[in-house]
Amino acid sequence: CSKMAAHVNNPSSVASLLSWSLRSLVANFSCHANHVHTLPPNIKDKLVHLMSKRGVIKDDNIGKVVHGKMRELDLSESEVSDVSLEQLAVCRNLRKIDLNAVKGNTTTVTTKGIISLVRSCNLLQVVYLRRCTEVTDDAIVALSENCRQLMCLNIGGCSKITDRSLEALGQNSRMLRSINFGHTGVTDDGVISLATGKCRQCLAEVHMDGCHLLTDDAVEVIMESCPRITILIFHGCPRLTDHSRVALEELSGPNSKMKQVTWTIY
């Protein structure tokens, strides 16, 4: 008995047992699905982390593993839809959600789902939606209006995004520090609205690569209006000229804090 007690009281043994139990639960989730809701939040967090890494969170099981104290959720490897997002209404403390499509474009996460999400989870600070091609301006407008603590946003490859999204972010997202709107339909007008908006003093990272409608004006307004900018990605924008490079060198100066810059000169 003494040897068994020592083994159970060993933290590493307990951790190993918990890890094994969670792996077994994920492997046989359907057999235990009706009992998962009874798990405490800290155990659910570990379970969700493991399910996220394995990409096995789905519309029919997400409601059993999320909880009201959850702060982060990675769904980038999982096949989820608006149905899953509607079940996140209980996650009132959610700060970060990753819905990036890592296996090509996704059409199952749409504007409807994002609007439902941001109306329930208005403390969101980090939102990743890369290549969610059915996400439109309406979703980003709703995000900017409901989640006023938004700091990081990735809408790269969301091909239906236009200037309207950047205008809304410029008007509402004072704390925005990082944004990726590469490969979208934005123009100089949208970038100007963003760069001169309420986030101008916070904005430090902008990815706008592959935006075929942008010109040198977009680069100049960011360099002139955003004093904290340290990362500016604008390669693959065919309307940009060598003037952008020259402006970048002139405006950044010898004491530049720039960490990363990429561009393509046509």
PDB file of all heavy atoms in Angstrom, residues 108-130:
ATOM      1  N   THR A 108     -17.260  26.745 -44.994  1.00  0.00           N
ATOM      2  CA  THR A 108     -18.239  26.355 -43.976  1.00  0.00           C
ATOM      3  C   THR A 108     -18.378  27.387 -42.861  1.00  0.00           C
ATOM      4  O   THR A 108     -19.383  27.411 -42.160  1.00  0.00           O
ATOM      5  CB  THR A 108     -17.877  24.993 -43.366  1.00  0.00           C
ATOM      6  OG1 THR A 108     -16.549  25.056 -42.835  1.00  0.00           O
ATOM      7  CG2 THR A 108     -17.937  23.899 -44.421  1.00  0.00           C
ATOM      8  N   VAL A 109     -17.354  28.219 -42.682  1.00  0.00           N
ATOM      9  CA  VAL A 109     -17.436  29.332 -41.735  1.00  0.00           C
ATOM     10  C   VAL A 109     -17.825  30.569 -42.530  1.00  0.00           C
ATOM     11  O   VAL A 109     -17.083  31.007 -43.411  1.00  0.00           O
ATOM     12  CB  VAL A 109     -16.097  29.559 -41.014  1.00  0.00           C
ATOM     13  CG1 VAL A 109     -16.134  30.844 -40.186  1.00  0.00           C
ATOM     14  CG2 VAL A 109     -15.779  28.371 -40.127  1.00  0.00           C
ATOM     15  N   THR A 110     -18.980  31.135 -42.235  1.00  0.00           N
ATOM     16  CA  THR A 110     -19.501  32.235 -43.033  1.00  0.00           C
ATOM     17  C   THR A 110     -19.791  33.461 -42.176  1.00  0.00           C
ATOM     18  O   THR A 110     -19.606  33.447 -40.951  1.00  0.00           O
ATOM     19  CB  THR A 110     -20.795  31.819 -43.768  1.00  0.00           C
ATOM     20  OG1 THR A 110     -21.881  31.798 -42.819  1.00  0.00           O
ATOM     21  CG2 THR A 110     -20.664  30.448 -44.412  1.00  0.00           C
ATOM     22  N   THR A 111     -20.272  34.475 -42.824  1.00  0.00           N
ATOM     23  CA  THR A 111     -20.636  35.716 -42.136  1.00  0.00           C
ATOM     24  C   THR A 111     -21.644  35.456 -41.021  1.00  0.00           C
ATOM     25  O   THR A 111     -21.547  36.021 -39.934  1.00  0.00           O
ATOM     26  CB  THR A 111     -21.214  36.715 -43.151  1.00  0.00           C
ATOM     27  OG1 THR A 111     -20.169  37.114 -44.049  1.00  0.00           O
ATOM     28  CG2 THR A 111     -21.777  37.945 -42.462  1.00  0.00           C
ATOM     29  N   LYS A 112     -22.603  34.600 -41.281  1.00  0.00           N
ATOM     30  CA  LYS A 112     -23.625  34.292 -40.280  1.00  0.00           C
ATOM     31  C   LYS A 112     -23.003  33.781 -38.985  1.00  0.00           C
ATOM     32  O   LYS A 112     -23.361  34.212 -37.874  1.00  0.00           O
ATOM     33  CB  LYS A 112     -24.602  33.262 -40.838  1.00  0.00           C
ATOM     34  CG  LYS A 112     -25.687  32.840 -39.846  1.00  0.00           C
ATOM     35  CD  LYS A 112     -26.560  31.727 -40.429  1.00  0.00           C
ATOM     36  CE  LYS A 112     -27.579  31.240 -39.395  1.00  0.00           C
ATOM     37  NZ  LYS A 112     -28.394  30.111 -39.912  1.00  0.00           N
ATOM     38  N   GLY A 113     -22.064  32.860 -39.104  1.00  0.00           N
ATOM     39  CA  GLY A 113     -21.428  32.283 -37.933  1.00  0.00           C
ATOM     40  C   GLY A 113     -20.583  33.292 -37.168  1.00  0.00           C
ATOM     41  O   GLY A 113     -20.577  33.310 -35.932  1.00  0.00           O
ATOM     42  N   ILE A 114     -19.865  34.133 -37.896  1.00  0.00           N
ATOM     43  CA  ILE A 114     -19.010  35.130 -37.247  1.00  0.00           C
ATOM     44  C   ILE A 114     -19.856  36.164 -36.504  1.00  0.00           C
ATOM     45  O   ILE A 114     -19.528  36.577 -35.381  1.00  0.00           O
ATOM     46  CB  ILE A 114     -18.104  35.829 -38.277  1.00  0.00           C
ATOM     47  CG1 ILE A 114     -17.167  34.805 -38.926  1.00  0.00           C
ATOM     48  CG2 ILE A 114     -17.294  36.943 -37.615  1.00  0.00           C
ATOM     49  CD1 ILE A 114     -16.292  34.046 -37.959  1.00  0.00           C
ATOM     50  N   ILE A 115     -20.956  36.585 -37.098  1.00  0.00           N
ATOM     51  CA  ILE A 115     -21.838  37.548 -36.421  1.00  0.00           C
ATOM     52  C   ILE A 115     -22.389  36.941 -35.137  1.00  0.00           C
ATOM     53  O   ILE A 115     -22.436  37.599 -34.089  1.00  0.00           O
ATOM     54  CB  ILE A 115     -22.968  37.998 -37.362  1.00  0.00           C
ATOM     55  CG1 ILE A 115     -22.398  38.870 -38.485  1.00  0.00           C
ATOM     56  CG2 ILE A 115     -24.036  38.765 -36.596  1.00  0.00           C
ATOM     57  CD1 ILE A 115     -23.415  39.302 -39.525  1.00  0.00           C
ATOM     58  N   SER A 116     -22.789  35.679 -35.187  1.00  0.00           N
ATOM     59  CA  SER A 116     -23.270  35.002 -33.993  1.00  0.00           C
ATOM     60  C   SER A 116     -22.179  34.940 -32.930  1.00  0.00           C
ATOM     61  O   SER A 116     -22.433  35.188 -31.736  1.00  0.00           O
ATOM     62  CB  SER A 116     -23.727  33.578 -34.351  1.00  0.00           C
ATOM     63  OG  SER A 116     -24.067  32.839 -33.203  1.00  0.00           O
ATOM     64  N   LEU A 117     -20.967  34.644 -33.351  1.00  0.00           N
ATOM     65  CA  LEU A 117     -19.832  34.536 -32.427  1.00  0.00           C
ATOM     66  C   LEU A 117     -19.550  35.856 -31.721  1.00  0.00           C
ATOM     67  O   LEU A 117     -19.447  35.902 -30.488  1.00  0.00           O
ATOM     68  CB  LEU A 117     -18.591  34.086 -33.204  1.00  0.00           C
ATOM     69  CG  LEU A 117     -17.272  34.109 -32.442  1.00  0.00           C
ATOM     70  CD1 LEU A 117     -17.248  33.002 -31.399  1.00  0.00           C
ATOM     71  CD2 LEU A 117     -16.097  33.958 -33.414  1.00  0.00           C
ATOM     72  N   VAL A 118     -19.424  36.935 -32.477  1.00  0.00           N
ATOM     73  CA  VAL A 118     -18.991  38.200 -31.873  1.00  0.00           C
ATOM     74  C   VAL A 118     -20.077  38.844 -31.018  1.00  0.00           C
ATOM     75  O   VAL A 118     -19.772  39.637 -30.118  1.00  0.00           O
ATOM     76  CB  VAL A 118     -18.491  39.186 -32.946  1.00  0.00           C
ATOM     77  CG1 VAL A 118     -17.326  38.573 -33.720  1.00  0.00           C
ATOM     78  CG2 VAL A 118     -19.604  39.602 -33.911  1.00  0.00           C
ATOM     79  N   ARG A 119     -21.317  38.504 -31.276  1.00  0.00           N
ATOM     80  CA  ARG A 119     -22.391  39.037 -30.439  1.00  0.00           C
ATOM     81  C   ARG A 119     -22.382  38.385 -29.058  1.00  0.00           C
ATOM     82  O   ARG A 119     -22.804  39.006 -28.074  1.00  0.00           O
ATOM     83  CB  ARG A 119     -23.740  38.827 -31.121  1.00  0.00           C
ATOM     84  CG  ARG A 119     -23.979  39.791 -32.283  1.00  0.00           C
ATOM     85  CD  ARG A 119     -25.293  39.506 -32.986  1.00  0.00           C
ATOM     86  NE  ARG A 119     -25.558  40.500 -34.032  1.00  0.00           N
ATOM     87  CZ  ARG A 119     -26.536  40.400 -34.933  1.00  0.00           C
ATOM     88  NH1 ARG A 119     -27.359  39.346 -34.903  1.00  0.00           N
ATOM     89  NH2 ARG A 119     -26.703  41.346 -35.835  1.00  0.00           N
ATOM     90  N   SER A 120     -21.891  37.150 -28.976  1.00  0.00           N
ATOM     91  CA  SER A 120     -21.826  36.442 -27.698  1.00  0.00           C
ATOM     92  C   SER A 120     -20.478  36.630 -27.006  1.00  0.00           C
ATOM     93  O   SER A 120     -20.410  36.750 -25.781  1.00  0.00           O
ATOM     94  CB  SER A 120     -22.071  34.944 -27.909  1.00  0.00           C
ATOM     95  OG  SER A 120     -23.325  34.698 -28.492  1.00  0.00           O
ATOM     96  N   CYS A 121     -19.421  36.665 -27.785  1.00  0.00           N
ATOM     97  CA  CYS A 121     -18.053  36.700 -27.245  1.00  0.00           C
ATOM     98  C   CYS A 121     -17.425  38.067 -27.521  1.00  0.00           C
ATOM     99  O   CYS A 121     -16.518  38.194 -28.353  1.00  0.00           O
ATOM    100  CB  CYS A 121     -17.215  35.589 -27.861  1.00  0.00           C
ATOM    101  SG  CYS A 121     -17.966  33.942 -27.733  1.00  0.00           S
ATOM    102  N   ASN A 122     -17.902  39.085 -26.830  1.00  0.00           N
ATOM    103  CA  ASN A 122     -17.465  40.445 -27.147  1.00  0.00           C
ATOM    104  C   ASN A 122     -16.163  40.847 -26.465  1.00  0.00           C
ATOM    105  O   ASN A 122     -15.755  42.006 -26.556  1.00  0.00           O
ATOM    106  CB  ASN A 122     -18.567  41.462 -26.829  1.00  0.00           C
ATOM    107  CG  ASN A 122     -19.014  41.407 -25.385  1.00  0.00           C
ATOM    108  OD1 ASN A 122     -18.342  40.837 -24.531  1.00  0.00           O
ATOM    109  ND2 ASN A 122     -20.166  42.004 -25.122  1.00  0.00           N
ATOM    110  N   LEU A 123     -15.484  39.888 -25.810  1.00  0.00           N
ATOM    111  CA  LEU A 123     -14.170  40.171 -25.230  1.00  0.00           C
ATOM    112  C   LEU A 123     -13.035  39.680 -26.127  1.00  0.00           C
ATOM    113  O   LEU A 123     -11.859  39.745 -25.748  1.00  0.00           O
ATOM    114  CB  LEU A 123     -14.048  39.511 -23.847  1.00  0.00           C
ATOM    115  CG  LEU A 123     -15.013  40.021 -22.773  1.00  0.00           C
ATOM    116  CD1 LEU A 123     -14.779  39.277 -21.465  1.00  0.00           C
ATOM    117  CD2 LEU A 123     -14.857  41.522 -22.560  1.00  0.00           C
ATOM    118  N   LEU A 124     -13.375  39.223 -27.299  1.00  0.00           N
ATOM    119  CA  LEU A 124     -12.364  38.715 -28.225  1.00  0.00           C
ATOM    120  C   LEU A 124     -11.313  39.776 -28.535  1.00  0.00           C
ATOM    121  O   LEU A 124     -11.631  40.922 -28.848  1.00  0.00           O
ATOM    122  CB  LEU A 124     -13.008  38.247 -29.525  1.00  0.00           C
ATOM    123  CG  LEU A 124     -13.634  36.853 -29.503  1.00  0.00           C
ATOM    124  CD1 LEU A 124     -14.502  36.623 -30.723  1.00  0.00           C
ATOM    125  CD2 LEU A 124     -12.545  35.777 -29.412  1.00  0.00           C
ATOM    126  N   GLN A 125     -10.045  39.365 -28.484  1.00  0.00           N
ATOM    127  CA  GLN A 125      -8.922  40.245 -28.790  1.00  0.00           C
ATOM    128  C   GLN A 125      -8.142  39.778 -30.012  1.00  0.00           C
ATOM    129  O   GLN A 125      -7.532  40.584 -30.705  1.00  0.00           O
ATOM    130  CB  GLN A 125      -7.976  40.324 -27.590  1.00  0.00           C
ATOM    131  CG  GLN A 125      -8.609  40.901 -26.337  1.00  0.00           C
ATOM    132  CD  GLN A 125      -7.687  40.848 -25.143  1.00  0.00           C
ATOM    133  OE1 GLN A 125      -6.660  40.155 -25.153  1.00  0.00           O
ATOM    134  NE2 GLN A 125      -8.029  41.568 -24.096  1.00  0.00           N
ATOM    135  N   VAL A 126      -8.149  38.479 -30.253  1.00  0.00           N
ATOM    136  CA  VAL A 126      -7.411  37.890 -31.372  1.00  0.00           C
ATOM    137  C   VAL A 126      -8.358  37.012 -32.173  1.00  0.00           C
ATOM    138  O   VAL A 126      -8.949  36.072 -31.638  1.00  0.00           O
ATOM    139  CB  VAL A 126      -6.221  37.051 -30.873  1.00  0.00           C
ATOM    140  CG1 VAL A 126      -5.460  36.446 -32.049  1.00  0.00           C
ATOM    141  CG2 VAL A 126      -5.290  37.898 -30.009  1.00  0.00           C
ATOM    142  N   VAL A 127      -8.499  37.333 -33.471  1.00  0.00           N
ATOM    143  CA  VAL A 127      -9.412  36.596 -34.346  1.00  0.00           C
ATOM    144  C   VAL A 127      -8.692  36.266 -35.644  1.00  0.00           C
ATOM    145  O   VAL A 127      -8.234  37.163 -36.354  1.00  0.00           O
ATOM    146  CB  VAL A 127     -10.689  37.406 -34.647  1.00  0.00           C
ATOM    147  CG1 VAL A 127     -11.609  36.626 -35.585  1.00  0.00           C
ATOM    148  CG2 VAL A 127     -11.423  37.757 -33.356  1.00  0.00           C
ATOM    149  N   TYR A 128      -8.570  34.972 -35.945  1.00  0.00           N
ATOM    150  CA  TYR A 128      -7.902  34.518 -37.165  1.00  0.00           C
ATOM    151  C   TYR A 128      -8.937  33.872 -38.087  1.00  0.00           C
ATOM    152  O   TYR A 128      -9.565  32.882 -37.720  1.00  0.00           O
ATOM    153  CB  TYR A 128      -6.807  33.509 -36.839  1.00  0.00           C
ATOM    154  CG  TYR A 128      -5.664  34.056 -36.023  1.00  0.00           C
ATOM    155  CD1 TYR A 128      -4.931  33.223 -35.186  1.00  0.00           C
ATOM    156  CD2 TYR A 128      -5.307  35.401 -36.090  1.00  0.00           C
ATOM    157  CE1 TYR A 128      -3.865  33.718 -34.443  1.00  0.00           C
ATOM    158  CE2 TYR A 128      -4.251  35.902 -35.348  1.00  0.00           C
ATOM    159  CZ  TYR A 128      -3.535  35.050 -34.525  1.00  0.00           C
ATOM    160  OH  TYR A 128      -2.489  35.536 -33.783  1.00  0.00           O
ATOM    161  N   LEU A 129      -9.062  34.426 -39.290  1.00  0.00           N
ATOM    162  CA  LEU A 129     -10.062  33.940 -40.254  1.00  0.00           C
ATOM    163  C   LEU A 129      -9.454  33.713 -41.637  1.00  0.00           C
ATOM    164  O   LEU A 129     -10.159  33.774 -42.643  1.00  0.00           O
ATOM    165  CB  LEU A 129     -11.209  34.962 -40.372  1.00  0.00           C
ATOM    166  CG  LEU A 129     -11.982  35.298 -39.095  1.00  0.00           C
ATOM    167  CD1 LEU A 129     -12.900  36.493 -39.331  1.00  0.00           C
ATOM    168  CD2 LEU A 129     -12.784  34.091 -38.638  1.00  0.00           C
ATOM    169  N   ARG A 130      -8.169  33.453 -41.705  1.00  0.00           N
ATOM    170  CA  ARG A 130      -7.499  33.343 -42.995  1.00  0.00           C
ATOM    171  C   ARG A 130      -8.152  32.306 -43.901  1.00  0.00           C
ATOM    172  O   ARG A 130      -8.419  31.183 -43.505  1.00  0.00           O
ATOM    173  CB  ARG A 130      -6.023  32.985 -42.794  1.00  0.00           C
ATOM    174  CG  ARG A 130      -5.203  33.011 -44.087  1.00  0.00           C
ATOM    175  CD  ARG A 130      -3.749  32.687 -43.857  1.00  0.00           C
ATOM    176  NE  ARG A 130      -3.576  31.282 -43.522  1.00  0.00           N
ATOM    177  CZ  ARG A 130      -3.060  30.841 -42.381  1.00  0.00           C
ATOM    178  NH1 ARG A 130      -2.705  31.701 -41.440  1.00  0.00           N
ATOM    179  NH2 ARG A 130      -2.931  29.548 -42.161  1.00  0.00           N
TER     180      ARG A 130
END
